[in-house]
Amino acid sequence: PAAGASLRPCSTRVALDGINKPVVDRIIRVDHAGEYGANRIYAGQMAVLGRSAVGPVVQQMWNQEKDHLKKFNELMVAYRVRPTVLLPFWNVAGFVLGAGSALLGKKGAMACTVAVEESISDHYNSQIRTLIEEDPEKYKELLQIIKQFRDDEREHHDIGLEHDAE
Amino acid sequence: LLRFLSGLRCQLYPPQRALHASATLRRASDEQKKEPLASSPQQQFDLHPTDPQPDQEPQGPRSSYTGQGGQESEDYESEEQLQHRILTAALEFVPEHGWTAEAIAEGAKTLGLSVAAAGMFHSDGSELILHFVSQCNTKLSDLLEQEQKLVQLGETEKKPTDQFLRHAVEARLRMLIPYIEKWPQAVSILLLPHNIPSSLNLLTSMIDDIWHYAGDQSTDFNWYTRRAVLTGIYNTTELVMMQDSSPDFEETWRFLENRVADAMNMGNTAKQVQSTGEALAQGLMGAAVTVSNAETSKAVR
């Protein structure tokens, strides 16, 4: 009898039986860390470029990342995943990267966005592949979320390219 | 099939991992068996030495087509359950014999087995202790789950965090009372290097369980801070309990109450320090701006 793996009636929890816990754990932890870092990057960029012409664009992308982070916070609690121990590090590193690239000007900030979003979408894609290989039915909800976020990140990537080229 | 099994394997929780040591020994003792029926199902498991619980996987589908081998795999499964039963039976004899092979032998006797069954286990009693700890953790989880259901049905009030933590830790520690004389021995055995991975695992998942039922939803570094603090509280209270001779361990529960209160204060103090720091920073910024304005206006005059 596996303790703690039973169905919980509370809505914030998810049926933990039958899922590949280590794989899901890793996915959620990494994605959470990624969104957290992305948040901090945009925060850094806004600190420098907030009042410039490109401010509203960055703000809008930042708002979407905030939504992503919120979603992963919920998933983390539902699946009982522990957050990465490097969060304080990503807090600082993300902000520094964002602010640093923004100090190079609008092009610098956009180039940073393009690079980061490119690697995030690749990452999401490989996670989607992993989950589909495991069991697309069982992980339907999770797959939906990750696919949506992957599309959002691609959009950010394209916006970055657009503004970088101007 | 193996993929399906490995999927199942991954969802099994720490209480089962306590049987890891016995599973390893069981495989070792199997290799010594001279039976010619040491057949393929077993070999397949031996190919996965890192597999923590090969024995937990359902044998049904496999045994149906392996004939004699099927019989072997049925034995394989029930032997794991048998070890479980022996260890549970052995607990009765721990107050008298300690966490030793003697207790296991006595336990085996009550089940109608030969005392040689104790040879299946490590001579230092590790598996018996891990089995006991795992059983206690499961009991605690079940208890907290039950209480949570009552709260959800509205039959009881939700406890405030400090009371909840005190209640959970006390409930868990009370399970040691029948064995308290021999518990120091158990703790020292659990600290042996070869037991540390398992015992640490059991401890961390128990603490995580308690916080989960306490309603912890932190997704930042607090996740770690809270668990570290509670682990400290649990361990120190356990130590106090081992030398407590007051009636019904009331000294221990008082100690627990104080430690939990300290932990709550620590949280509040941290918040206060942070807001004081922020206020100070703002004050300094204001002062700097005022001074620079004064300088500018002086320069203009």
Side-chain angles (χ1 to χ4, degrees), chain A residues 74-95:
Chain A
E74 289 164 22
L75 284 177
M76 194 162 250
V77 173
Y79 283 89
R80 288 186 67 172
V81 177
R82 71 169 170 87
T84 169
V85 78
L86 296 171
L87 277 179
F89 172 72
W90 295 131
N91 188 350
V92 175
F95 193 88

Side-chain angles (χ1 to χ4, degrees), chain A residues 1-3 5-6 8-10 12-13 16-22 32 73 76-77 80-85 87-88 133, chain B residues 3 7 10-13 15-16 137-138 141-142 145 148-149 152 205 208-209 212-213 215-221 223-224:
Chain A
S6 49
R8 302 190 200 286
C10 181
T12 57
R13 284 134 195 173
L16 296 179
D17 319 24
I19 63 165
N20 188 341
K21 195 109 202 325
H32 175 262
N73 281 338
M76 194 162 250
V77 173
R80 288 186 67 172
V81 177
R82 71 169 170 87
T84 169
V85 78
L87 277 179
E133 269 168 20
Chain B
R3 248 228 209 136
C10 293
Q11 59 144 330
L12 293 170
Y13 275 66
Q16 311 299 338
N137 290 356
T138 309
S141 291
D142 290 341
E145 179 79 40
Q148 185 186 60
K149 285 207 178 88
Q152 280 169 348
S205 46
D208 180 45
D209 254 3
H212 170 73
Y213 285 104
D216 177 40
Q217 300 205 326
S218 41
T219 52
D220 54 5
F221 206 74
W223 191 97
Y224 290 92

Side-chain angles (χ1 to χ4, degrees), chain B residues 9 12 28 41 50 60 70 75 150 180 209 211 224 245 253 286 297 299:
Chain B
R9 184 200 314 153
L12 293 170
T50 54
D75 281 345
L150 289 178
I180 196 72
D209 254 3
W211 267 120
Y224 290 92
S245 49
W253 312 134
S297 53

Side-chain angles (χ1 to χ4, degrees), chain A residues 33-52:
Chain A
E35 293 299 342
Y36 183 80
N39 249 275
R40 296 301 294 154
I41 291 177
Y42 282 122
Q45 290 189 340
M46 278 305 284
V48 177
L49 292 172
R51 268 162 294 203
S52 74

